mmCIF file of all heavy atoms in Angstrom:
data_model
loop_
_atom_site.group_PDB
_atom_site.id
_atom_site.type_symbol
_atom_site.label_atom_id
_atom_site.label_comp_id
_atom_site.label_asym_id
_atom_site.label_seq_id
_atom_site.Cartn_x
_atom_site.Cartn_y
_atom_site.Cartn_z
ATOM 1 N N GLY H 578 -35.853 54.269 21.664
ATOM 2 C CA GLY H 578 -36.315 53.489 22.804
ATOM 3 C C GLY H 578 -37.786 53.586 23.003
ATOM 4 O O GLY H 578 -38.328 52.966 23.884
ATOM 5 N N LEU H 619 -31.400 32.107 19.538
ATOM 6 C CA LEU H 619 -32.021 30.928 18.941
ATOM 7 C C LEU H 619 -31.092 30.222 17.967
ATOM 8 O O LEU H 619 -31.313 29.063 17.632
ATOM 9 C CB LEU H 619 -33.318 31.321 18.215
ATOM 10 C CG LEU H 619 -34.458 31.781 19.112
ATOM 11 C CD1 LEU H 619 -35.679 32.140 18.269
ATOM 12 C CD2 LEU H 619 -34.828 30.698 20.117
ATOM 13 N N LEU H 651 -46.697 32.801 14.348
ATOM 14 C CA LEU H 651 -45.333 32.384 14.652
ATOM 15 C C LEU H 651 -45.270 32.006 16.116
ATOM 16 O O LEU H 651 -45.744 32.753 16.983
ATOM 17 C CB LEU H 651 -44.342 33.517 14.366
ATOM 18 C CG LEU H 651 -44.173 33.892 12.906
ATOM 19 C CD1 LEU H 651 -43.188 35.031 12.773
ATOM 20 C CD2 LEU H 651 -43.719 32.692 12.094
ATOM 21 N N THR H 662 -40.807 28.769 12.207
ATOM 22 C CA THR H 662 -41.698 27.621 12.378
ATOM 23 C C THR H 662 -41.009 26.315 12.061
ATOM 24 O O THR H 662 -41.512 25.261 12.418
ATOM 25 C CB THR H 662 -42.923 27.791 11.459
ATOM 26 O OG1 THR H 662 -42.448 27.926 10.112
ATOM 27 C CG2 THR H 662 -43.719 29.004 11.834
ATOM 28 N N ARG H 670 -22.924 17.704 13.053
ATOM 29 C CA ARG H 670 -22.262 16.557 13.649
ATOM 30 C C ARG H 670 -21.023 16.223 12.843
ATOM 31 O O ARG H 670 -21.067 16.213 11.610
ATOM 32 C CB ARG H 670 -23.183 15.345 13.682
ATOM 33 C CG ARG H 670 -24.424 15.551 14.559
ATOM 34 C CD ARG H 670 -25.278 14.293 14.583
ATOM 35 N NE ARG H 670 -26.440 14.458 15.439
ATOM 36 C CZ ARG H 670 -27.356 13.503 15.619
ATOM 37 N NH1 ARG H 670 -27.222 12.336 14.998
ATOM 38 N NH2 ARG H 670 -28.382 13.736 16.407
ATOM 39 N N VAL H 685 -6.405 -17.040 -6.671
ATOM 40 C CA VAL H 685 -6.788 -17.751 -7.882
ATOM 41 C C VAL H 685 -7.932 -18.686 -7.531
ATOM 42 O O VAL H 685 -8.510 -18.604 -6.445
ATOM 43 C CB VAL H 685 -5.576 -18.527 -8.457
ATOM 44 C CG1 VAL H 685 -4.488 -17.568 -8.894
ATOM 45 C CG2 VAL H 685 -5.025 -19.502 -7.435
ATOM 46 N N SER H 717 3.391 -60.406 -38.565
ATOM 47 C CA SER H 717 4.117 -60.447 -39.842
ATOM 48 C C SER H 717 4.486 -61.877 -40.226
ATOM 49 O O SER H 717 4.402 -62.272 -41.404
ATOM 50 C CB SER H 717 5.393 -59.582 -39.738
ATOM 51 O OG SER H 717 5.053 -58.235 -39.455
ATOM 52 N N LEU H 741 -2.011 -60.925 -46.143
ATOM 53 C CA LEU H 741 -2.526 -59.807 -45.349
ATOM 54 C C LEU H 741 -4.015 -59.678 -45.567
ATOM 55 O O LEU H 741 -4.492 -59.266 -46.628
ATOM 56 C CB LEU H 741 -1.825 -58.499 -45.740
ATOM 57 C CG LEU H 741 -0.333 -58.404 -45.367
ATOM 58 C CD1 LEU H 741 0.255 -57.122 -45.924
ATOM 59 C CD2 LEU H 741 -0.162 -58.479 -43.863
ATOM 60 N N GLY H 762 4.861 -43.754 -23.298
ATOM 61 C CA GLY H 762 4.557 -43.216 -21.974
ATOM 62 C C GLY H 762 5.701 -43.255 -20.995
ATOM 63 O O GLY H 762 5.548 -42.821 -19.849
ATOM 64 N N ARG H 785 5.891 -35.706 -8.964
ATOM 65 C CA ARG H 785 7.127 -35.331 -8.293
ATOM 66 C C ARG H 785 8.034 -36.545 -8.035
ATOM 67 O O ARG H 785 9.081 -36.396 -7.422
ATOM 68 C CB ARG H 785 6.822 -34.639 -6.962
ATOM 69 C CG ARG H 785 6.263 -33.216 -7.097
ATOM 70 C CD ARG H 785 6.005 -32.623 -5.730
ATOM 71 N NE ARG H 785 5.532 -31.255 -5.789
ATOM 72 C CZ ARG H 785 6.301 -30.179 -5.616
ATOM 73 N NH1 ARG H 785 7.595 -30.329 -5.395
ATOM 74 N NH2 ARG H 785 5.789 -28.951 -5.671
ATOM 75 N N VAL H 833 9.088 -22.767 -6.116
ATOM 76 C CA VAL H 833 7.701 -23.080 -6.444
ATOM 77 C C VAL H 833 7.173 -24.063 -5.411
ATOM 78 O O VAL H 833 7.728 -25.156 -5.246
ATOM 79 C CB VAL H 833 7.587 -23.675 -7.863
ATOM 80 C CG1 VAL H 833 6.145 -24.080 -8.146
ATOM 81 C CG2 VAL H 833 8.061 -22.668 -8.896
ATOM 82 N N ALA H 837 0.603 -26.430 -9.464
ATOM 83 C CA ALA H 837 -0.647 -26.223 -10.197
ATOM 84 C C ALA H 837 -0.960 -24.745 -10.326
ATOM 85 O O ALA H 837 -1.279 -24.242 -11.410
ATOM 86 C CB ALA H 837 -1.785 -26.962 -9.505
ATOM 87 N N ARG H 860 6.538 0.912 -3.350
ATOM 88 C CA ARG H 860 5.852 1.220 -2.097
ATOM 89 C C ARG H 860 6.788 1.327 -0.899
ATOM 90 O O ARG H 860 6.423 1.950 0.102
ATOM 91 C CB ARG H 860 4.797 0.135 -1.796
ATOM 92 C CG ARG H 860 3.593 0.171 -2.706
ATOM 93 C CD ARG H 860 2.606 -0.913 -2.351
ATOM 94 N NE ARG H 860 3.081 -2.227 -2.789
ATOM 95 C CZ ARG H 860 2.457 -3.379 -2.508
ATOM 96 N NH1 ARG H 860 1.369 -3.368 -1.782
ATOM 97 N NH2 ARG H 860 2.934 -4.520 -2.957
ATOM 98 N N THR H 875 15.688 -3.005 7.313
ATOM 99 C CA THR H 875 14.261 -2.671 7.389
ATOM 100 C C THR H 875 13.617 -2.718 6.026
ATOM 101 O O THR H 875 12.516 -3.260 5.852
ATOM 102 C CB THR H 875 14.091 -1.281 8.021
ATOM 103 O OG1 THR H 875 14.694 -1.267 9.312
ATOM 104 C CG2 THR H 875 12.618 -0.922 8.133
ATOM 105 N N GLY H 975 47.733 20.006 9.346
ATOM 106 C CA GLY H 975 47.699 18.542 9.512
ATOM 107 C C GLY H 975 46.773 17.884 8.529
ATOM 108 O O GLY H 975 47.056 16.819 7.984
#
Side-chain angles (χ1 to χ4, degrees):
L619 292 180
L651 292 179
T662 57
R670 297 182 178 179
V685 296
S717 299
L741 292 175
R785 287 180 177 261
V833 176
R860 289 180 285 175
T875 302

